[in-house]
Amino acid sequence: MKRIITLQDISCVGRCSITVALPVISAMGVECGILPTAVLSTHTMFKTFTCKDLSDQIAPIADAWEAEKITFDGIYTGYLASGEQCRQVCAFFDRFANADNLVLVDPAMADNGKLYAAFDSSFPQEMAKVCAKADIILPNITEACLLTGTEYRTEYDEAYIDGLLCRLLDLGCRTAVLTGVSFAPDKLGVAYLDRDGNRFSYFTRRCPQSYHGTGDLYSSTVLGGVMRGLDLGDALALAADFVVTCIEATASSKESRWYGVEFESQIPLLCRMLEERL
Ligand code: PXL
């Protein structure tokens, strides 16, 4: 069985980061170790929240793993709480990333044209250094603009998306995947470009609802799929289909909550979708 390590926060309530990655990746048949980089009461979209930054724990935990000769088939990062934490994560990559494993970075820091409230304007350049060390990065369009100093647009054409993908590769990563791409009002999807010039895109129907944590659900499912041996395009498509299913389940649930997507009820379906594609 493949083993990955995910470095991101624990938001105790609200279905994002580790509380999504751990159940989803485990259900996909991949061992999911965690390195909690911060503990928050909820994610930062709530009016009131606490945050204990655990950046100073990353190096000693890495020391212990190195002493125990623990290795990982994948390293996956999501929301990082500070610029200092980005530097600690880069140092972690330098110790644990190698030619035989995969580094996937979801630079979760912004959406809808805006940086999340907890960050200042210097944060994207620290996250860009984390992206530089990745095999695969998965920004949305807002994050891609902040990472590359590109003007954010809500109306765009294929040339704009292509320009963003090229600039993301210039950061240093091997494959850039843009999420939340749309060229038609009723379709939403992803597009990627890699260093060898390979391109791929995949679109699903657009759901009118939007829930927090769908980006984390998407990245976790992509990583699970790739670790199970799907090629990247198949993993991106599987994850897109799964997220749409979860959004629809959330929208039709009586307990539908704005802060998180109801993925739990859909886990058996995810397992079937994965098995069909293996
Ligand atoms: O879903 C991304 C995310 C993860 N973790 C925390 C967040 C957010 C988005 O706001 O605040 C703490």
Side-chain angles (χ1 to χ4, degrees):
M1 181 178 280
K2 293 273 170 76
R3 178 193 307 120
I4 72 105
I5 187 71
T6 187
L7 295 88
Q8 46 186 327
D9 65 282
I10 294 183
S11 288
C12 298
V13 174
R15 293 178 174 138
C16 69
S17 28
I18 284 179
T19 61
V20 170
L22 186 50
V24 168
I25 293 169
S26 302
M28 294 179 83
V30 176
E31 181 185 345
C32 182
I34 61 169
L35 204 173
T37 50
V39 179
L40 294 90
S41 51
T42 58
H43 63 62
T44 59
M45 293 304 187
F46 282 76
K47 232 180 16 225
T48 311
F49 64 88
T50 66
C51 177
K52 171 75 179 161
D53 190 314
L54 299 175
S55 297
D56 64 354
Q57 294 303 300
I58 297 175
I61 289 173
D63 291 344
W65 287 342
E66 234 168 36
E68 294 293 337
K69 300 194 167 36
I70 293 171
T71 58
F72 305 105
D73 299 298
I75 305 174
Y76 161 33
T77 70
Y79 180 97
L80 300 175
S82 61
E84 169 57 19
Q85 192 153 99
C86 291
R87 291 186 282 279
Q88 294 288 337
V89 165
C90 285
F92 184 91
F93 289 165
D94 291 342
R95 296 172 74 171
F96 287 92
N98 57 50
D100 298 324
N101 63 17
L102 180 95
V103 175
L104 185 143
V105 170
D106 177 353
M109 60 178 179
D111 208 356
N112 300 314
K114 281 208 224 74
L115 198 59
Y116 292 153
F119 299 126
D120 66 33
S121 58
S122 68
F123 185 77
Q125 71 203 46
E126 296 303 325
M127 185 58 94
K129 295 177 194 159
V130 180
C131 291
K133 292 178 180 285
D135 294 304
I136 302 171
I137 63 170
L138 281 156
N140 60 32
I141 293 176
T142 304
E143 290 157 350
C145 288
L146 289 165
L147 289 166
T148 60
T150 307
E151 183 199 357
Y152 174 74
R153 290 202 211 146
T154 48
E155 283 180 23
Y156 50 76
D157 56 11
E158 294 194 18
Y160 176 78
I161 295 300
D162 222 55
L164 268 178
L165 286 169
C166 291
R167 264 172 256 135
L168 288 168
L169 286 183
D170 287 344
L171 295 175
C173 57
R174 288 212 351 247
T175 302
V177 183
L178 257 182
T179 63
V181 173
S182 179
F183 299 120
D186 57 338
K187 300 261 184 254
L188 192 66
V190 294
Y192 89 56
L193 177 66
D194 71 17
R195 290 218 154 263
D196 300 322
N198 297 308
R199 286 166 199 282
F200 171 88
S201 57
Y202 183 78
F203 296 91
T204 65
R205 59 195 175 279
R206 180 198 285 272
C207 304
Q209 305 82 4
S210 99
Y211 298 102
H212 219 77
T214 46
D216 300 345
L217 186 62
Y218 188 72
S219 298
S220 299
T221 310
V222 170
L223 182 70
V226 171
M227 284 293 120
R228 288 299 306 274
L230 296 187
D231 59 52
L232 180 59
D234 287 343
L236 292 169
L238 166 71
D241 291 344
F242 179 57
V243 170
V244 167
T245 302
C246 291
I247 290 173
E248 287 175 348
T250 311
S252 66
S253 156
K254 280 203 302 286
E255 292 162 46
S256 154
R257 296 195 188 261
W258 63 269
Y259 60 73
V261 68
E262 182 187 303
F263 65 87
E264 297 88 344
S265 61
Q266 306 305 310
I267 288 228
L269 175 69
L270 172 62
C271 297
R272 289 199 296 277
M273 288 165 75
L274 174 62
E275 291 304 322
E276 276 166 16
R277 287 163 166 87
L278 288 177

